[in-house]
Every structure is written in C-alpha cells, then in structure tokens.
Amino acid sequence: LTSTSTSTSTSTSTSTSTSTSSSSTTPAGPSDLLFFIRTNYPLFYDIVTLGGAESFFSSTSGLFTTCVPNEKTLQSFGSFSSAASARYFALSHLFAGRYSINALFALNGLNLGAVSGEEVAVAIESNTVYLNSAAIVNGNLVATNGLVHECRGVIVNGGSTTTTTTTAVDT
C-alpha cells in the first residue's frame, strides 16, 4: 500500500514601513492661534493669558486674524496695570475673519473692527500694511483657525504702565 500526498502553498507578503522622527514639539501641520502664539511669541502669549483671553485665540467657531507685536516690540513695551487692560490689549490685536495681506491691501483707507471693539485704521505705505501705527513685517502665517501677522509696533496701548516723560528746559 502506497500513499502519496502533495501539498502546494504559496504565500506572498509585502510590507513597507516608514518612520520619521523630529525633535521639534511643533506638530507637522498648522496649529491653532493660541498654540502658534505660545510657541512663537511667548511675550504676547503671556499677555493673552494674563487677560484670560485664551478662548478667543483657540476658538473653533470661525476664522480669526491676529496681528502679534514681535518680541522686540514687547520687550520695550512695559507691563499691564490689570488683567482687564491686558485682555483689551490682546483682543485689540485680534479680528474676526481671515484677512490675508492681499485682503488688507484691499481695505486701504478703511477701518477694521477688532474683537475688543477698537476701530483699527488700515493703511498702505511703501508697500507695507499698517494697522494703526503697527507695521506688518511677516504675514500670512497659517493656523487652523486663522492667520497670524507679525507686527513691529502695537495697534493700541491698552493700559501698559510704560510712560514717557518730557522735560522742558528754559535757556
């Protein structure tokens, strides 16, 4: 008696694995305005948190544009007399809606309403956008809930305790 058994088995497997790592804590894609500000503009972030305005900058109920004074501007700015003045300052630099640099060019000569209620003049001078006296020096930085424009200068003082003293001298 002879028994013969034949078995044929074919197996094909393909596997591809890609792994990347980064030492940065910034996510691969855009983050919300609050995270972006915390990561890139810590002095302005401190003002936002002092004023308790975080929810405005992390809002998902629409798009916003913020004009953030750069670190050099804020280093010489001074401190705030109260949380309310810090909140007013922060919200005077935040606008409901997504305003790119090109959109701001189209608003030349008009006012833009800040979340604080402040009316902010838009002006173009030497191909630079100004919001009141703050010049946008780096714009169209993308966040998931809007845009960030870095400014040299501040849109509104908002209660900073910095004072300027002028002394007249008779000769």
Side-chain angles (χ1 to χ4, degrees):
L1 187 121
T2 305
S3 174
T4 306
S5 175
T6 306
S7 174
T8 304
S9 175
T10 305
S11 175
T12 304
S13 176
T14 304
S15 175
T16 304
S17 176
T18 304
S19 176
T20 58
S21 66
S22 174
S23 60
S24 174
T25 57
T26 304
S31 55
D32 71 14
L33 291 171
L34 185 65
F35 184 86
F36 189 92
I37 291 165
R38 185 180 72 209
T39 305
N40 298 287
Y41 302 99
L43 294 177
F44 188 70
Y45 177 77
D46 290 346
I47 295 167
V48 170
T49 57
L50 174 63
E54 299 95 332
S55 63
F56 290 92
F57 290 86
S58 61
S59 175
T60 57
S61 65
L63 296 176
F64 293 87
T65 300
T66 187
C67 184
V68 178
N70 60 26
E71 295 293 291
K72 185 175 181 180
T73 295
L74 291 177
Q75 286 169 353
S76 62
F77 187 66
S79 59
F80 289 86
S81 58
S82 68
S85 63
R87 181 183 182 92
Y88 182 78
F89 180 88
L91 297 182
S92 292
H93 290 79
L94 183 66
F95 305 90
R98 188 175 190 268
Y99 295 97
S100 67
I101 295 296
N102 286 339
L104 292 171
F105 264 88
L107 296 174
N108 185 29
L110 301 175
N111 286 340
L112 190 59
V115 171
S116 68
E118 184 79 23
E119 288 293 316
V120 177
V122 179
I124 310 301
E125 198 173 296
S126 301
N127 212 28
T128 299
V129 176
Y130 286 84
L131 299 177
N132 286 348
S133 62
I136 296 177
V137 295
N138 189 13
N140 294 338
L141 306 171
V142 177
T144 56
N145 60 339
L147 291 174
V148 176
H149 302 308
E150 179 183 328
C151 295
R152 183 180 59 247
V154 298
I155 292 175
V156 64
N157 185 333
S160 166
T161 58
T162 300
T163 58
T164 303
T165 304
T166 305
T167 306
V169 178
D170 288 330
T171 55

